[in-house]
Amino acid sequence: MYSVAKEIIFFVLGPRLYRIFRFDSNIQRKVIEKEYLLNTSEWIGESFINTVSYALAATYYCSPIVVYYLYQNGIFNSPDQITYYLKVFSVLLITLGAAFLLRGNGRLMNPDYKKFIDVLEKAKFNKNDRASLQMYDFDFASWPIDFSYNESSIKPANISVEAEKKKENGFLSKLLNIPMNILEYSLAHGLARPMGYPGSVKLLQAAMAPAIHQGRTILIEKNGIRSKLLAKDGNEIDTMFLDKRKNNDNGNTLVICCEGNAAFYEVGCMGTPLKGGYSVLGWNHPGFMGSSGTPSPSSEGNAIDVVVRYAVSKLGFKCEDIVLFAWSIGGYAASYAAMVYPNIKGVILDATFDDITSLAIARMPAFASSIVSRVINNYMNLNNTRHLIKYSGPIRLIKRLREEIITTIPHDPSTNRCNFLLEKILLFRYPNVVTKESIEVLHSYLSVDNVASQAAILKSLGYDNKNDFEDRFAIKEDRPSFPLDIGRTWSQKEKSNATIFLAMKYLDHFDASHCVPLPSQYFLLPWQHKLI
């Protein structure tokens, strides 16, 4: 009796199955895709459950408006209205329960779902049966853990980068700050997080689901292996690995891809290094599709930490063979990993920023700048600069010439935050070369939106002696100790020209807007770029 009840409950509450794959060959997969077909009972139950789920998601993000509407209609002062809404809520719960039972009954009658449940149950208790799970696309929450952060013996660098906290003086000060703290918390979770990480919004995920499922199918056809990683904070991270080590020499380098704020590994930047023949590991931010949790600086750090541990301890790559490739807001996770794993081979940052605070303030009304700054500092302090100055390895930046997202003034190249990230890196690494006057020259060079204008600026500056600078900045050791004591006795013209030289080494320009996929010819590893 107990086993029968358990089986019924499992079918009622079990994961949703989306697709079933069939492979022509285990060596080079040809996926014969079969969309899982719901029978009538399943379809009715699933449709109602999904409708309620989307309605609850919409209500959550519109909760201030909903509460205000209820207040204006006097619900909190009218027992009759409260009773009415309680009845509506009760009917909804009963109907929802019936929908679950209806869906469970349909699953019991569906041979494809019954076979899937058998495979899932075996995989949960035996890791040797995990390969069969690759043939199913289903709710990732039910996928068993493939790797946990504590299974790795590698040790991250002990570097503290905690943001400065507000200083409160005594009990009275804390008491008076309670209303402001409540407001900050509400804005952070109700506004800042959905705006900063729209990919975590369930409604957007639902709209992108067809493209995401199609993208995942393409990756699986390329021999992609999907896995679930357990991070230190308990979040479950959805990953996809494509192994190219047997294909060519580039395959011995693993590129870990960190996606943008509305991108997923299924439809993100993985394609760029894949075209170059590199092994690639993609992952989704916490709260994005299969990954659990919500995105935040701490959860992002924990997520990329377990991804690197998985790459080293499970996939067999050394830190020295790993390149971090990030697009847009993914730069935070990539720069964090470079800081705590300083032996990482190199970092490539495409269309990213120095600090998100300036971007957030620019997109909100001027009167709200103070509260926006407080919310960002306390809840969303995505500061890439403070990570990268603690990393001494090769860094390469890619700037979009027609950037419209990471500029404080849309389409104004002088306000592109990638410029400021470059300036801060150079200021830290070469303090005697990059002076105030050199920064002004560099800013002129970076403030135009086409190569011809840049060439004209270089000509007006009398830029020359490239080969001489190659010799001056030649570094024998693999990882120099920054900041470097070089350029102290140079003239100001030499320093300005050297600053432009460094900028050309650290930064490449891509004539495109923010969301255009990066072509493979722009994916040059830092040491191929003669980066110093």
Side-chain angles (χ1 to χ4, degrees), residues 291-356:
S291 296
S292 66
T294 55
S296 70
S298 61
S299 66
E300 288 284 298
N302 287 321
I304 191 62
D305 177 61
V306 75
V307 169
V308 173
R309 288 169 181 260
Y310 170 68
V312 174
S313 299
K314 186 70 176 287
L315 301 181
F317 290 90
K318 298 178 181 178
C319 277
E320 294 82 359
D321 297 326
I322 295 175
V323 173
L324 297 162
F325 173 45
W327 173 57
S328 193
I329 209 169
Y332 180 82
S335 61
Y336 177 86
M339 177 186 66
V340 298
Y341 294 103
N343 292 330
I344 289 289
K345 194 170 189 176
V347 180
I348 302 174
L349 302 177
D350 176 21
T352 194
F353 50 83
D354 58 333
D355 183 358
I356 202 172

Side-chain angles (χ1 to χ4, degrees), residues 426-443:
L426 296 183
L427 274 168
F428 175 78
R429 291 191 167 192
Y430 313 96
N432 298 323
V433 176
V434 186
T435 63
K436 181 180 179 181
E437 292 80 3
S438 301
I439 285 293
E440 291 178 358
V441 172
L442 177 60
H443 196 66

Side-chain angles (χ1 to χ4, degrees), residues 385-440:
T385 304
R386 64 178 182 173
H387 294 161
L388 292 174
I389 63 175
K390 298 178 184 294
Y391 172 67
S392 61
I395 300 172
R396 181 162 177 265
L397 307 178
I398 300 171
K399 174 187 172 183
R400 308 295 184 103
L401 289 176
R402 289 183 276 125
E403 180 65 61
E404 76 282 16
I405 301 298
I406 62 166
T407 52
T408 51
I409 301 175
H411 303 287
D412 182 350
S414 68
T415 66
N416 190 321
R417 298 311 300 186
C418 185
N419 298 345
F420 298 90
L421 178 59
L422 172 65
E423 291 173 4
K424 291 172 182 177
I425 291 173
L426 296 183
L427 274 168
F428 175 78
R429 291 191 167 192
Y430 313 96
N432 298 323
V433 176
V434 186
T435 63
K436 181 180 179 181
E437 292 80 3
S438 301
I439 285 293
E440 291 178 358

Side-chain angles (χ1 to χ4, degrees), residues 49-62:
I49 292 169
N50 288 338
T51 300
V52 173
S53 177
Y54 297 147
L56 289 176
T59 302
Y60 171 79
Y61 290 109
C62 300

